[in-house]
Amino acid sequence: MGPLRRQSPRTHPFNSALETGIRALVVLEAFHPRRFDLLEMTWLDHLVVHTGDLDDIEAPGSLHPALPNRAAELVVRRPLLEKSLRLMQQLHLVDVFETEDGITYGASDDAPIYLDLLQAPYTFALKDRAQWMAERFADLSSTDIRAQMEKRISRWTADFCADESFKGIQS
């Protein structure tokens, strides 16, 4: 008789709270000590895997394929990202700050130690892109970053905001 195997349903690792949380953590660590709100994190989470969307000749190629209907991707990303940031907070990898302007997120002091343990080629590519973004946006204020994001993905942002307004009407 062979070893007993644990019977559990298989879950897809991509776009899970863990995978999205690790992606968010990589972004926050690259930008450390900067903090971002949920909307900014949603944009940055999109851009770290779709760096080609920036139309910058120096941008590294996108990690994920460019799929149609990007607005839906952003709409799905926001609640998943919020759940993922809570998970990373529970693991003491993300710090949450309550400010006059709202809630912001930053990498904790434990984040670099954890991220150094991740050695997959995908993780290295993700870290490279996050670092490139951090350097590209380093001198920009939050207002300037928002303007850049809206300029680059204004079509998706408009759809995203329209969906958020629609949710408010339904409530």
Side-chain angles (χ1 to χ4, degrees):
M1 184 172 187
L4 292 176
R5 291 186 135 187
R6 183 173 49 166
Q7 297 280 331
S8 65
R10 291 186 176 217
T11 58
H12 200 279
F14 300 105
N15 286 324
S16 66
L18 180 59
E19 190 247 349
T20 303
I22 290 170
R23 222 174 29 238
L25 186 60
V26 166
V27 169
L28 289 170
E29 178 56 28
F31 278 90
H32 186 76
R34 252 181 125 155
R35 303 174 190 160
F36 296 101
D37 65 23
L38 186 57
L39 180 59
E40 292 164 330
M41 284 302 300
T42 302
W43 286 329
L44 293 170
D45 182 58
H46 171 84
L47 288 176
V48 76
V49 295
H50 294 293
T51 45
D53 286 355
L54 287 170
D55 298 328
D56 186 323
I57 59 171
E58 295 179 16
S62 294
L63 275 175
H64 294 187
L67 301 174
N69 197 3
R70 292 292 185 65
E73 188 176 335
L74 284 173
V75 170
V76 168
R77 228 177 253 277
R78 185 177 175 145
L80 178 58
L81 189 59
E82 187 173 20
K83 180 179 178 182
S84 301
L85 287 165
R86 281 195 307 268
L87 173 63
M88 293 294 113
Q89 178 190 15
Q90 290 172 342
L91 299 172
H92 306 287
L93 298 172
V94 167
D95 292 328
V96 179
F97 303 90
E98 294 180 26
T99 69
E100 290 178 5
D101 297 325
I103 296 173
T104 58
Y105 303 90
S108 76
D109 291 339
D110 293 336
I113 297 164
Y114 175 77
L115 290 174
D116 284 345
L117 297 173
L118 303 178
Q119 300 292 311
Y122 177 86
T123 307
F124 285 124
L126 191 64
K127 289 176 184 179
D128 288 344
R129 282 157 179 80
Q131 190 59 47
W132 177 84
M133 284 178 16
E135 290 168 8
R136 185 179 189 283
F137 296 128
D139 296 329
L140 298 179
S141 68
S142 289
T143 303
D144 292 338
I145 289 176
R146 282 179 186 253
Q148 286 284 323
M149 298 297 176
E150 288 171 356
K151 178 181 171 188
R152 299 290 189 226
I153 55 178
S154 60
R155 177 174 49 96
W156 305 320
T157 303
D159 291 343
F160 179 61
C161 291
D163 182 72
E164 287 299 304
S165 297
F166 181 70
K167 283 182 183 177
I169 293 169
Q170 287 181 324
S171 299

